[in-house]
Amino acid sequence: MRSGSTRGAVLAALLCAVAVLLLGACGREKAGRETEPSATALPWTLSAPTRSQITGAELGTDRRTVTITVEVPSGPNPCVRDLRAKLTEPVGNTVPIQVTFVSPSGDRGSGCSKTTTARARVKLPEPLGERELVVGYPGAVFTAEGARPPALRLCGDLGCTPPATGCTTGSYEQAVKAVNAPAHTYRNAEHCDGKWLVLDISWRTGPVCGDPADSACTSQLGDRWFYKAEEAGWKPFFRTATGGCQAVQDREPAFPTPLCAPLEPLSPSLHPTHSPSS
């Protein structure tokens, strides 16, 4: 009798479970159609901070422990988990670090539309020394040289030891970058006295310009920029297609005449003007 009662109880429980499932299915139907679930789980995906979101790095007193400061998504609900910094294979004089986290911020419904500061820590197998720390790809580069401990110094686009401002090739390259010139820009002429600089630049144009011999790349555009030397490098302050000194000295009276007097106007093909259409 006890065995039969037990089997009966089990059977009754199974029947109840089936009934609950059927009732649940019925509850999701409306007018003969199955409705969508009331909520779906947001996808958490692996992410990494961009270069601009990597804001700092500190080196511990052991010269091996590195703490990376990054901006990560934030919102009313949890937006980040598993924030990690990992050492990857060293290359030359650099120590590469990869920072990753998991977040639903790629989904607009996550509410992770703001940012907050977070830190990830990693221990190097040996002291950093004079090597450069590269975080992410493309990387934010840090160095202990010239830094104020415990912080490492964030290097700029020209590297950790940019060229001194002057009449040098490296310094001219910095001047070209300072005006956000297009890729594959050519320097056509430089007029420099160490404090002031005139730079004529040009770049090829056309639908496809991978091959300089391609007829699609025969046309060019260009600019003439005027710079003043500052501690951070050449700073552009004026652009004109005209020759001579009047335009630039109207803008900056101290600009030296010997640098601007010989300047010819830019060729109309390099600096075309367009009349308003009638």
Side-chain angles (χ1 to χ4, degrees):
M1 293 293 292
R2 182 176 299 174
S3 175
S5 299
T6 301
R7 283 196 298 270
V10 170
L11 181 59
L14 289 173
L15 290 174
C16 287
V18 172
V20 169
L21 290 174
L22 290 173
L23 288 172
C26 292
R28 288 195 299 270
E29 291 185 0
K30 184 177 181 180
R33 291 185 179 181
E34 186 173 337
T35 61
E36 293 296 326
S38 59
T40 55
L42 294 173
W44 285 70
T45 57
L46 186 66
S47 303
T50 63
R51 181 177 178 181
S52 63
Q53 292 169 331
I54 301 165
T55 58
E58 293 186 356
L59 191 62
T61 55
D62 60 357
R63 313 302 290 175
R64 293 175 56 193
T65 302
V66 177
T67 303
I68 310 295
T69 304
V70 298
E71 290 182 355
V72 295
S74 176
N77 300 312
C79 290
V80 171
R81 64 188 183 203
D82 298 332
L83 176 64
R84 297 175 181 174
K86 179 182 177 182
L87 176 69
T88 60
E89 189 67 27
V91 179
N93 195 44
T94 64
V95 178
I97 301 291
Q98 183 181 32
V99 177
T100 58
F101 57 88
V102 181
S103 174
S105 58
D107 190 313
R108 292 185 178 181
S110 68
C112 300
S113 58
K114 299 181 179 181
T115 60
T116 188
T117 299
R119 291 173 176 81
R121 184 173 296 172
V122 64
K123 194 162 188 175
L124 310 181
E126 57 186 10
L128 179 64
E130 297 180 356
R131 294 176 297 169
E132 295 175 356
L133 189 77
V134 182
V135 184
Y137 182 83
V141 184
F142 296 87
T143 179
E145 181 182 356
R148 295 182 178 180
L152 295 173
R153 177 169 61 89
L154 177 62
C155 303
D157 292 338
L158 297 175
C160 296
T161 54
T165 305
C167 303
T168 64
T169 299
S171 193
Y172 297 151
E173 293 297 325
Q174 177 267 316
V176 171
K177 290 183 178 181
V179 296
N180 294 319
H184 311 299
T185 293
Y186 299 88
R187 299 193 317 275
N188 299 328
E190 306 93 10
H191 306 271
C192 176
D193 67 0
K195 184 177 179 181
W196 304 92
L197 170 66
V198 186
L199 203 60
D200 288 355
I201 59 177
S202 65
W203 55 92
R204 295 183 181 274
T205 63
V208 180
C209 292
D211 181 4
D214 194 314
S215 60
C217 299
T218 55
S219 60
Q220 289 185 322
L221 292 177
D223 266 328
R224 172 176 289 151
W225 280 94
F226 295 80
Y227 301 80
K228 184 177 181 180
E230 295 196 354
E231 186 176 350
W234 288 112
K235 182 178 180 180
F237 68 90
F238 188 57
R239 177 178 64 173
T240 183
T242 63
C245 291
Q246 182 173 345
V248 65
Q249 289 182 340
D250 285 347
R251 181 66 173 268
E252 177 51 77
F255 195 87
T257 299
L259 289 185
C260 54
L263 298 177
E264 296 291 335
L266 283 184
S267 167
S269 64
L270 286 178
H271 207 279
T273 57
H274 302 279
S275 300
S277 58
S278 55

